[in-house]
Amino acid sequence: MVNEVESGEFSPANVVRILVSTDNHLGYAEKHGTRGEDSFLAFEEVLRTAKERRVDFLLLGGDLFHDNKPSRNTTFRCMSLLRKYCFGEDPVSVHFCSDPGKVFDGGNQTVNYMDPYMSISLPIFTIHGNHDDPTGSLGPKQLSSVDLLHSAGMLNYFGKVSDSKSISIEPILLRKGSSCIALYGLGNVRDERLYTTWKDENNVQWKRPQAADVVNPEAWFNIFVLHQNRVQRGGTRHVTESMLPSWLDFVIWGHEHECRIDLEGGTDGPVITQPGSSVATSMIEGESKGGVVGDGTRDQPTLGLRGC
C-alpha cells in the first residue's frame, strides 16, 4: 500500500524523514503456539524498515507493550530488538533543541543519541498508551514499562501526564537544516477525564516555541501524537478532531487499530493520519484491513507521507 502526497523540490540537507508506527502490542498472545511471534516479527519489520530507509527517527504512538507489566520474555525480546537496530555508529542528523528536563520525566535527563555514554544510530520517540500507561509504584512517582527503556537509554519517552486535571504539553524541538519540528505528545489519559480537563475546564495548556528557541516561532512545523479514542464507544466522551488547535500542522492518532494512513482533514485544522496497529489483536472489521507504517518526510514547506 503506497500513498504519496509530495510536491516541490526537496533539499536532502533539510528533509526530515520520520517513520511512524503505533500500537505494536509486544507480547500479545505470546504463549500462543501459532500467533505468539506475530507482535515481535511485526515490530522487527518496523525497525528494519526504519534502518533500510535511513529515517531520522522512529515515532511510536503508544501501546508498545500489550500488558502493563510485560513478561520477562517480552521485555527481553524488546530490548534485544532495540539493541540490534537502534545502536550503532551512524550519525544522527536531527539536532535536539529542547531542555531535556522539561520534556522527559525522570530517568535519562537527556535525549539518548546525545548521551556521551550511548551510541545510538536510530532514535525512537514514544508516548505511552492505555496498555502500558504509568501505574502506582512504591516510589514517589508512577512508572510505565516504557520508563525502564527510557532510563536504559534505549528510547526517548515523552508526553507523560503527571496531573490529569491540569495538563501542560511541552514540545520536543528538533531541527535539521532549515526544517524545524515541534513534536507534541500526549500519553493516554482516561477519555472522560481528558474530555473534562480539555473541553469543559479548558485546562490543557500548549507550550509554543519561543523566540529564543533557535528560530522564529512561526517557522516550526507542529506535530502532535496522541493515544485516545477517535470515535465514541458507549456513553464515554472522547477527544474530537474539532478540539485540536488549528495551528497544529500534523496529527498522528494512536489507539485506533484500523489503518487509515491516508491523510485526512487539513481544511480548517491539522492534517491527520491513523496508522493503526502493527499486529491484529481482535477480529473486528477494522483490524482485518491490514496495516502499514508511515514513512513521512518534512521539507519547507512540504509534507509527504507514504505507507510502507
Side-chain angles (χ1 to χ4, degrees), residues 81-259:
L81 288 172
L82 294 178
R83 284 185 59 89
K84 178 179 179 180
Y85 289 97
C86 298
F87 285 41
E89 299 295 332
D90 294 337
V92 176
S93 301
V94 176
H95 181 60
F96 184 82
C97 305
S98 295
D99 178 353
K102 293 182 178 180
V103 295
F104 300 136
D105 180 57
N108 244 4
Q109 285 294 322
T110 183
V111 68
N112 65 346
Y113 63 87
M114 293 180 65
D115 187 331
Y117 300 105
M118 304 293 293
S119 183
I120 302 296
S121 60
L122 174 61
I124 296 179
F125 293 94
T126 186
I127 60 172
H128 69 258
N130 59 306
H131 280 252
D132 50 15
D133 59 329
T135 57
S137 64
L138 298 177
K141 63 174 66 178
Q142 293 185 324
L143 294 174
S144 162
S145 50
V146 186
D147 274 299
L148 304 180
L149 301 179
H150 175 83
S151 184
M154 292 189 155
L155 50 68
N156 304 288
Y157 170 31
F158 71 115
K160 197 172 182 179
V161 175
S162 58
D163 183 1
S164 61
K165 296 182 179 180
S166 180
I167 299 174
S168 179
I169 307 179
E170 185 89 29
I172 290 176
L173 303 180
L174 302 168
R175 185 175 185 182
K176 181 181 179 183
S178 61
S179 292
C180 303
I181 293 176
L183 177 59
Y184 295 84
L186 179 63
N188 180 263
V189 178
R190 298 295 177 259
D191 283 295
E192 190 74 28
R193 176 66 261 174
L194 180 59
Y195 184 93
T196 299
T197 302
W198 192 331
K199 183 71 172 179
D200 294 342
E201 300 173 353
N202 196 31
N203 273 340
V204 173
Q205 298 182 359
W206 300 79
K207 302 293 187 179
R208 303 293 301 277
Q210 302 300 311
D213 294 325
V214 184
V215 296
N216 187 309
E218 298 302 318
W220 295 94
F221 185 79
N222 302 293
I223 299 176
F224 178 43
V225 55
L226 75 165
H227 190 101
Q228 301 290 151
N229 280 328
R230 192 176 177 185
V231 297
Q232 185 169 354
R233 292 178 171 86
T236 302
R237 298 181 295 178
H238 66 288
V239 174
T240 61
E241 296 173 20
S242 62
M243 293 166 58
L244 299 170
S246 59
W247 50 264
L248 287 173
D249 297 297
F250 188 40
V251 173
I252 298 157
W253 210 300
H255 182 62
E256 298 290 351
H257 282 205
E258 178 181 355
C259 178

Side-chain angles (χ1 to χ4, degrees), residues 262-278:
D262 295 327
L263 299 179
E264 304 173 18
T267 303
D268 299 314
V271 172
I272 301 173
T273 187
Q274 180 180 301
S277 176
S278 61

Side-chain angles (χ1 to χ4, degrees), residues 27-41 73 77:
Y28 172 74
E30 65 178 322
K31 295 181 180 179
H32 193 283
T34 303
R35 304 195 59 198
E37 293 293 306
D38 287 359
S39 65
F40 303 109
L41 292 174
N73 173 65
R77 297 281 298 274

